[in-house]
């Protein structure tokens, strides 16, 4: 049935599908973990109950998002062995330890303190619980650190040698970890996670303000979210610009595809706002351009020359239409975030932050936009690296396992069905929780009366339910 399909294309689509699902959850949980730490810290500092209620409100959502992120991440790691065995063999001596460092640092830190964070309030001291929340937040950042270091090395490989078996082997771990694109990618991705979380929190707050303007929890979460967007959105645009300049230096073909520059421009390159890239013809049809603006942005000189894809071997071109449009989607959403942040700041200064329905509807509309932006950014990064898995050194076509198309198609279809059922149900439940307004006396994910009081050890006598003891009357 699937014999006419290309096994390599199916393997690439499978990894793209599973990564896209996975990336949604860490991009939310990284920012949400930090938000929870801020809420608990504000509660301990001020004693205001609204912060505690919001902490418990978002803690339940965090637990679900974190769990789905872990489960979807495990699936991806197995694909390195099943679909990308040659890549695992060639790059394993470098990539393997970096991923192992994530497990030994981030996973162990999160696993050690997540239970206290979720279920420990009221069972441990306030300071210890806050320390656990901080540990989980730090753990999510450390996880991003190692994963992005590994990905960045694939984009800008340094610090390696090649042994007799043709494997990449580490020669300088400091150079590998802090490779040229890593600092820019880390800052850009973490800012994206914070913006994604702020927009979700702001969207939820806006939804409840439209229904009940006096809800104290909705007012606080909306105020915090709009403040975060106003601060981080301009920083993200600046970080993105720096990341783009770094990419121009180390991966010029990717930037050429992002800009739609098939031809070189020796006297200043135009900024193509829109158009239809034609990969075969090597041109952008119906282009809407701003003369010399691309040179001004990338070289800070409107007359600076910029090379085009005509200087690159055509066999090493990325697929320009995808990179061109995914980049524009990401940038457009970024500027929309900036506009929302500035609008929220103007409303705050005018004293209309909580009673301006237009702002609330815009915030609600922008609620999921962070997820779209991070996926578009990931597509730009990964498709722009093609046709390589390790940029300039190992091609994607030479990285795949020797599998037949029906085998890859069967697992792909299974993933599609299972993912939409499992993660669809989980996402639906998260939306259900978000649909409920925060209220005084909010409860967290603590165990209820039908759950075991303890998982091990001896239950203290005052906690024993007489109805559940031996000898209780029938």
């Amino acid at each position: 049935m699937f014999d006419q399909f290309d096994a390599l294309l199916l393997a690439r689509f499978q990894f793209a599908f599973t990564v896209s699902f996975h990336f949604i959850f860490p991009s939310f949980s990284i920012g949400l973990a930090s938000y929870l730490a801020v809420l608990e810290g504000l509660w301990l500092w001020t004693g205001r109950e609204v912060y505690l209620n919001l902490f418990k409100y978002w803690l339940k959502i965090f637990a679900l998002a974190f769990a789905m992120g872990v489960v979807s991440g495990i699936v991806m790691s197995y694909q390195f062995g099943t679909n990308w065995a040659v890549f695992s063999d060639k790059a394993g001596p470098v990539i393997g330890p970096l991923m192992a460092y994530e497990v030994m640092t981030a996973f162990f830190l999160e696993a050690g303190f997540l239970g206290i964070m979720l279920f420990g309030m009221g069972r441990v001291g306030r300071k210890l619980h806050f320390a656990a929340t901080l540990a989980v937040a730090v753990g999510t950042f450390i996880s991003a650190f190692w994963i992005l270091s590994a990905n960045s090395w694939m984009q800008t490989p340094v610090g390696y040698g090649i042994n007799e078996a043709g494997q990449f082997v580490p020669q300088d771990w400091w150079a590998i970890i802090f490779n040229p694109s890593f600092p820019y990618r880390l800052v850009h991705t973490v800012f994206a996670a914070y913006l994604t979380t702020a927009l979700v929190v702001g969207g939820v707050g806006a939804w409840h303000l439209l229904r009940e303007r006096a809800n104290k929890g909705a007012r606080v979460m909306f105020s915090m979210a709009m403040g975060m967007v106003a601060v981080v959105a301009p920083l993200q645009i600046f970080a993105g610009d720096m990341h783009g300049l770094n990419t121009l230096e180390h991966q010029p073909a990717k930037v050429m595809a992002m800009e739609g520059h098939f031809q070189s421009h020796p006297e200043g390159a135009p900024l193509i706002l829109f158009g239809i890239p034609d990969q075969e013809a090597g041109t952008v049809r119906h282009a809407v351009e701003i003369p010399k603006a691309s040179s001004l942005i990338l070289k800070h000189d409107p007359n600076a020359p910029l090379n085009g894809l005509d200087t690159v071997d055509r066999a090493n071109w990325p697929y320009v239409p995808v990179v061109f449009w995914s980049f524009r989607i990401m940038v457009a959403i970024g500027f929309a975030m900036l506009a929302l942040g500035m609008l929220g700041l103007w409303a705050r200064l005018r004293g209309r932050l909580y009673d301006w329905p237009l702002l609330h509807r815009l915030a609600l509309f922008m609620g999921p936009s962070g997820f779209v932006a991070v996926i578009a950014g990931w597509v730009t990064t990964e498709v722009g690296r093609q046709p390589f898995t390790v940029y300039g050194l190992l091609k994607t076509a030479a990285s795949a396992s020797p599998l037949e198309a029906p085998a890859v198609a069967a697992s792909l279809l299974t993933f599609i069905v299972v993912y939409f059922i499992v993660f669809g149900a989980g996402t639906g439940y998260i939306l259900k929780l978000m649909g409920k307004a925060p209220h005084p006396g909010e409860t967290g994910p603590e165990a209820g009366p039908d759950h075991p009081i303890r998982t091990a050890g001896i239950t203290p006598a005052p906690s024993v339910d007489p109805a559940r003891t031996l000898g209780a009357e029938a």
Side-chain angles (χ1 to χ4, degrees):
M1 177 179 178
F2 295 100
D3 290 334
Q4 69 273 25
F5 288 91
D6 179 39
L8 175 62
L9 183 62
L10 290 173
R12 291 177 63 186
F13 185 79
Q14 182 178 119
F15 200 80
F17 175 79
T18 53
V19 171
S20 297
F21 261 90
H22 171 69
F23 200 11
I24 288 173
F25 299 110
S27 65
F28 182 42
S29 60
I30 290 171
L32 190 54
S34 297
Y35 181 55
L36 288 168
V38 170
L39 287 172
E40 187 170 7
L42 287 172
W43 171 60
L44 293 174
W45 184 29
T46 66
R48 292 181 60 190
E49 185 184 5
V50 65
Y51 292 123
L52 177 61
N53 291 328
L54 285 177
F55 174 83
K56 292 182 177 181
Y57 178 88
W58 286 104
L59 186 61
K60 293 174 285 190
I61 295 168
F62 172 79
L64 287 167
F66 185 88
M68 288 192 286
V70 170
V71 171
S72 59
I74 292 173
V75 172
M76 280 196 315
S77 62
Y78 279 107
Q79 287 182 73
F80 286 120
T82 57
N83 293 355
W84 302 100
V86 178
F87 168 79
S88 299
D89 174 60
K90 299 292 186 183
V94 173
I95 299 297
L98 294 177
M99 298 181 70
Y101 296 154
E102 184 208 8
V103 174
M104 292 189 295
T105 55
F107 276 19
F108 283 10
L109 185 64
E110 293 163 345
F113 290 96
L114 183 64
I116 299 174
M117 177 186 179
L118 295 180
F119 308 114
M121 186 165 284
R123 293 178 171 86
V124 299
R126 291 183 175 183
K127 292 182 179 179
L128 176 57
H129 189 274
F130 182 49
T133 304
L134 287 174
V136 172
V138 171
T140 60
F141 176 81
I142 294 175
S143 179
F145 178 96
W146 289 115
I147 291 299
L148 291 171
S149 177
N151 180 270
S152 296
W153 182 84
M154 294 164 62
Q155 307 279 345
T156 51
V158 292
Y160 67 92
I162 299 179
N163 64 13
E164 305 81 22
Q167 296 174 307
F168 299 99
V169 292
Q171 291 185 339
D172 184 344
W173 275 113
W174 286 109
I176 289 172
I177 294 169
F178 296 98
N179 57 79
S181 64
F182 169 62
Y184 300 92
R185 185 167 286 105
L186 177 65
V187 171
H188 195 46
T189 305
V190 171
F191 278 170
Y194 287 157
L195 279 170
T196 298
T197 301
L199 288 164
V200 171
V201 172
V204 173
W207 168 255
H208 294 299
L209 284 175
L210 287 169
R211 303 173 71 186
E212 183 187 354
R213 189 175 299 174
N215 187 294
K216 187 178 294 186
R219 291 165 74 98
V220 170
M221 76 166 77
F222 185 72
S223 174
M224 294 176 73
M226 289 299 99
M228 188 69 173
V229 173
V231 171
V232 179
L235 293 176
Q236 175 69 315
I237 292 173
F238 175 76
D241 180 61
M242 293 296 100
H243 190 18
L245 296 178
N246 176 264
T247 305
L248 177 64
E249 179 182 356
H250 296 281
Q251 295 177 289
K254 181 187 292 186
V255 175
M256 295 170 191
M258 290 159 53
E259 296 293 322
H261 290 164
F262 286 98
Q263 291 83 32
S264 299
H265 296 84
E267 298 179 355
L271 175 64
I272 302 176
L273 299 177
F274 306 104
I276 303 174
D278 187 331
Q279 183 93 353
E280 293 300 320
T283 187
V284 177
R285 302 189 185 279
H286 311 294
V288 178
E289 304 176 344
I290 300 177
K292 299 183 181 293
S294 186
S295 289
L296 181 62
I297 294 171
L298 294 172
K299 295 289 189 176
H300 306 300
D301 178 358
N303 297 311
L306 279 179
N307 290 331
L309 287 168
D310 54 3
T311 62
V312 179
D313 184 348
R314 198 178 184 95
N316 294 333
W317 284 13
Y319 188 61
V320 177
V322 170
V323 180
F324 181 87
W325 279 110
S326 62
F327 176 68
R328 273 147 188 76
I329 291 170
M330 178 188 68
V331 171
I333 294 175
F335 279 103
M337 293 175 183
L338 177 64
L340 179 65
M342 295 302 101
L343 197 62
L345 181 60
W346 183 82
R348 188 188 302 273
L349 295 175
R350 295 291 299 270
R352 298 200 57 195
L353 188 64
Y354 308 118
D355 59 1
W356 191 10
L358 176 61
L359 174 64
H360 302 158
R361 290 189 176 93
L362 289 173
L364 180 60
F365 176 77
M366 288 290 292
S369 64
F371 298 112
V372 180
V374 296
I375 294 299
W378 172 79
V379 169
T380 302
T381 296
E382 299 305 308
V383 178
R385 184 186 59 200
Q386 298 303 314
F388 300 98
T389 47
V390 180
Y391 189 73
L393 298 169
L394 179 63
K395 286 204 169 184
T396 305
S399 303
S401 302
L403 296 174
E404 298 295 331
V408 183
S411 59
L412 172 60
L413 291 176
T414 302
F415 279 135
I416 291 174
V417 172
V418 172
Y419 269 50
F420 275 106
I421 293 175
V422 174
F423 295 113
T427 303
Y429 189 64
I430 287 177
L431 293 174
K432 181 179 178 180
L433 291 175
M434 291 178 176
K436 298 178 180 178
H439 57 80
E442 191 77 47
T443 59
E446 295 89 355
D450 295 330
H451 291 72
I453 297 173
R454 288 170 183 260
T455 56
I458 300 174
T459 303
S463 300
V464 173
D465 182 355
R468 297 169 63 186
T469 60
L470 290 175
E473 296 183 4

